[in-house]
PDB file of all heavy atoms in Angstrom:
ATOM      1  N   PHE A 630     -13.708  64.732  52.727  1.00  0.00           N
ATOM      2  CA  PHE A 630     -15.047  64.117  52.647  1.00  0.00           C
ATOM      3  C   PHE A 630     -15.690  64.033  54.015  1.00  0.00           C
ATOM      4  O   PHE A 630     -16.852  64.439  54.197  1.00  0.00           O
ATOM      5  CB  PHE A 630     -14.952  62.742  52.030  1.00  0.00           C
ATOM      6  CG  PHE A 630     -16.292  62.041  51.927  1.00  0.00           C
ATOM      7  CD1 PHE A 630     -17.210  62.430  50.962  1.00  0.00           C
ATOM      8  CD2 PHE A 630     -16.606  61.027  52.814  1.00  0.00           C
ATOM      9  CE1 PHE A 630     -18.458  61.798  50.899  1.00  0.00           C
ATOM     10  CE2 PHE A 630     -17.846  60.403  52.720  1.00  0.00           C
ATOM     11  CZ  PHE A 630     -18.798  60.768  51.754  1.00  0.00           C
ATOM     12  N   PHE A 631     -14.948  63.533  54.997  1.00  0.00           N
ATOM     13  CA  PHE A 631     -15.566  63.331  56.326  1.00  0.00           C
ATOM     14  C   PHE A 631     -15.634  64.642  57.145  1.00  0.00           C
ATOM     15  O   PHE A 631     -16.552  64.790  57.968  1.00  0.00           O
ATOM     16  CB  PHE A 631     -14.797  62.273  57.118  1.00  0.00           C
ATOM     17  CG  PHE A 631     -15.008  60.873  56.618  1.00  0.00           C
ATOM     18  CD1 PHE A 631     -14.029  60.220  55.895  1.00  0.00           C
ATOM     19  CD2 PHE A 631     -16.235  60.231  56.794  1.00  0.00           C
ATOM     20  CE1 PHE A 631     -14.221  58.933  55.422  1.00  0.00           C
ATOM     21  CE2 PHE A 631     -16.442  58.960  56.305  1.00  0.00           C
ATOM     22  CZ  PHE A 631     -15.437  58.302  55.628  1.00  0.00           C
ATOM     23  N   LYS A 632     -14.695  65.542  56.955  1.00  0.00           N
ATOM     24  CA  LYS A 632     -14.672  66.766  57.760  1.00  0.00           C
ATOM     25  C   LYS A 632     -15.372  67.940  57.117  1.00  0.00           C
ATOM     26  O   LYS A 632     -15.808  68.862  57.822  1.00  0.00           O
ATOM     27  CB  LYS A 632     -13.216  67.162  58.076  1.00  0.00           C
ATOM     28  CG  LYS A 632     -12.500  66.198  58.958  1.00  0.00           C
ATOM     29  CD  LYS A 632     -11.088  66.687  59.262  1.00  0.00           C
ATOM     30  CE  LYS A 632     -10.346  65.737  60.204  1.00  0.00           C
ATOM     31  NZ  LYS A 632      -8.963  66.233  60.515  1.00  0.00           N
ATOM     32  N   LEU A 633     -15.507  67.928  55.801  1.00  0.00           N
ATOM     33  CA  LEU A 633     -16.103  69.077  55.134  1.00  0.00           C
ATOM     34  C   LEU A 633     -17.287  68.693  54.278  1.00  0.00           C
ATOM     35  O   LEU A 633     -18.436  69.195  54.491  1.00  0.00           O
ATOM     36  CB  LEU A 633     -15.052  69.795  54.248  1.00  0.00           C
ATOM     37  CG  LEU A 633     -15.553  71.009  53.431  1.00  0.00           C
ATOM     38  CD1 LEU A 633     -16.082  72.091  54.399  1.00  0.00           C
ATOM     39  CD2 LEU A 633     -14.445  71.526  52.541  1.00  0.00           C
ATOM     40  N   GLN A 634     -17.077  67.826  53.350  1.00  0.00           N
ATOM     41  CA  GLN A 634     -18.125  67.537  52.374  1.00  0.00           C
ATOM     42  C   GLN A 634     -19.303  66.784  53.018  1.00  0.00           C
ATOM     43  O   GLN A 634     -20.486  67.161  52.864  1.00  0.00           O
ATOM     44  CB  GLN A 634     -17.570  66.737  51.207  1.00  0.00           C
ATOM     45  CG  GLN A 634     -16.622  67.526  50.332  1.00  0.00           C
ATOM     46  CD  GLN A 634     -15.922  66.667  49.299  1.00  0.00           C
ATOM     47  OE1 GLN A 634     -15.626  65.514  49.561  1.00  0.00           O
ATOM     48  NE2 GLN A 634     -15.724  67.237  48.119  1.00  0.00           N
ATOM     49  N   LEU A 635     -18.997  65.730  53.754  1.00  0.00           N
ATOM     50  CA  LEU A 635     -20.087  64.958  54.392  1.00  0.00           C
ATOM     51  C   LEU A 635     -20.887  65.763  55.413  1.00  0.00           C
ATOM     52  O   LEU A 635     -22.143  65.739  55.374  1.00  0.00           O
ATOM     53  CB  LEU A 635     -19.489  63.695  55.045  1.00  0.00           C
ATOM     54  CG  LEU A 635     -20.534  62.750  55.698  1.00  0.00           C
ATOM     55  CD1 LEU A 635     -21.527  62.263  54.631  1.00  0.00           C
ATOM     56  CD2 LEU A 635     -19.824  61.560  56.375  1.00  0.00           C
ATOM     57  N   PRO A 636     -20.259  66.540  56.306  1.00  0.00           N
ATOM     58  CA  PRO A 636     -21.061  67.358  57.232  1.00  0.00           C
ATOM     59  C   PRO A 636     -21.967  68.356  56.515  1.00  0.00           C
ATOM     60  O   PRO A 636     -23.112  68.523  56.912  1.00  0.00           O
ATOM     61  CB  PRO A 636     -19.988  68.061  58.060  1.00  0.00           C
ATOM     62  CG  PRO A 636     -18.818  67.176  58.027  1.00  0.00           C
ATOM     63  CD  PRO A 636     -18.814  66.576  56.687  1.00  0.00           C
ATOM     64  N   LEU A 637     -21.477  69.006  55.470  1.00  0.00           N
ATOM     65  CA  LEU A 637     -22.307  69.969  54.747  1.00  0.00           C
ATOM     66  C   LEU A 637     -23.455  69.261  54.019  1.00  0.00           C
ATOM     67  O   LEU A 637     -24.576  69.761  53.944  1.00  0.00           O
ATOM     68  CB  LEU A 637     -21.459  70.761  53.749  1.00  0.00           C
ATOM     69  CG  LEU A 637     -20.512  71.784  54.374  1.00  0.00           C
ATOM     70  CD1 LEU A 637     -19.676  72.472  53.290  1.00  0.00           C
ATOM     71  CD2 LEU A 637     -21.270  72.814  55.195  1.00  0.00           C
ATOM     72  N   ILE A 638     -23.168  68.101  53.447  1.00  0.00           N
ATOM     73  CA  ILE A 638     -24.215  67.336  52.793  1.00  0.00           C
ATOM     74  C   ILE A 638     -25.291  66.924  53.818  1.00  0.00           C
ATOM     75  O   ILE A 638     -26.508  66.986  53.541  1.00  0.00           O
ATOM     76  CB  ILE A 638     -23.626  66.117  52.061  1.00  0.00           C
ATOM     77  CG1 ILE A 638     -22.771  66.565  50.856  1.00  0.00           C
ATOM     78  CG2 ILE A 638     -24.723  65.180  51.587  1.00  0.00           C
ATOM     79  CD1 ILE A 638     -22.014  65.453  50.198  1.00  0.00           C
ATOM     80  N   VAL A 639     -24.834  66.457  54.994  1.00  0.00           N
ATOM     81  CA  VAL A 639     -25.814  66.034  56.028  1.00  0.00           C
ATOM     82  C   VAL A 639     -26.640  67.255  56.485  1.00  0.00           C
ATOM     83  O   VAL A 639     -27.878  67.153  56.642  1.00  0.00           O
ATOM     84  CB  VAL A 639     -25.056  65.400  57.210  1.00  0.00           C
ATOM     85  CG1 VAL A 639     -26.016  65.175  58.377  1.00  0.00           C
ATOM     86  CG2 VAL A 639     -24.424  64.085  56.775  1.00  0.00           C
TER      87      VAL A 639
END
Side-chain angles (χ1 to χ4, degrees):
F630 179 75
F631 288 107
K632 293 183 179 181
L633 178 61
Q634 292 172 325
L635 182 60
L637 289 178
I638 291 173
V639 171

